[in-house]
Amino acid sequence: MATRKQRKRRAKEQRHEYVWEDEQGNELEPDDVPARKATTRGPRRAAATGRQPQPPSWSRTLKRALVFAPIMLVTVMLLSSNLGLPGQIAQTALLVAIFIPFSYFLDGVFWRSYQKRVAREQAGRRRSG
């Protein structure tokens, strides 16, 4: 079954009359139009953009925590205005203390999932190639 986007695209193609031209500007019949190459789209956005997950490291995790700590402090200050500044800082420190190992754990999960996907693709290439 076609998705909503595909149905809309097909309906648009049927609504409009398209004129195809070659490189010299001559009109082509619809039967003479060369087929477009299929583009590969899918859930592998990281591979498509060239960005690949890196193995987890504590230094990267701590840098991320340094970026998020002020954001967490401001959030705690807005949500816990009845606490004094020392209480807000203590609550933020607790949140950061939970955030650091959890962030490292998630980096590991993403890394292992990426490694499994790469191994699966390589195994598929070996079988077909």
Side-chain angles (χ1 to χ4, degrees):
M1 170 141 211
T3 64
R4 182 182 303 164
K5 186 176 181 179
Q6 291 168 335
R7 289 191 303 256
K8 283 183 177 182
R9 187 176 294 140
R10 286 186 191 135
K12 181 181 176 183
E13 288 173 356
Q14 292 174 356
R15 266 195 316 266
H16 300 286
E17 280 192 38
Y18 291 100
V19 177
W20 289 276
E21 296 179 349
D22 60 5
E23 293 81 28
Q24 288 82 28
N26 302 325
E27 275 191 32
L28 297 174
E29 293 296 320
D31 300 334
D32 299 335
V33 177
R36 292 187 337 192
K37 288 185 178 179
T39 58
T40 55
R41 294 182 182 171
R44 289 174 179 57
R45 289 279 178 226
T49 59
R51 188 166 178 194
Q52 299 167 343
Q54 298 179 359
S57 74
W58 285 107
S59 64
R60 195 175 323 110
T61 303
L62 292 174
K63 288 177 188 174
R64 187 178 306 129
L66 287 175
V67 169
F68 279 100
I71 296 169
M72 290 179 192
L73 178 62
V74 169
T75 304
V76 167
M77 290 174 100
L78 290 173
L79 296 176
S80 301
S81 57
N82 57 345
L83 288 177
L85 184 62
Q88 292 171 340
I89 291 174
Q91 196 170 20
T92 302
L94 177 67
L95 287 172
V96 170
I98 294 169
F99 175 80
I100 291 172
F102 184 71
S103 180
Y104 183 83
F105 170 74
L106 281 180
D107 284 347
V109 168
F110 292 140
W111 173 250
R112 284 188 297 275
S113 132
Y114 173 73
Q115 291 295 318
K116 288 178 186 176
R117 186 172 59 240
V118 167
R120 229 177 312 155
E121 289 174 359
Q122 287 177 350
R125 283 189 204 135
R126 283 188 211 127
R127 274 186 248 140
S128 64

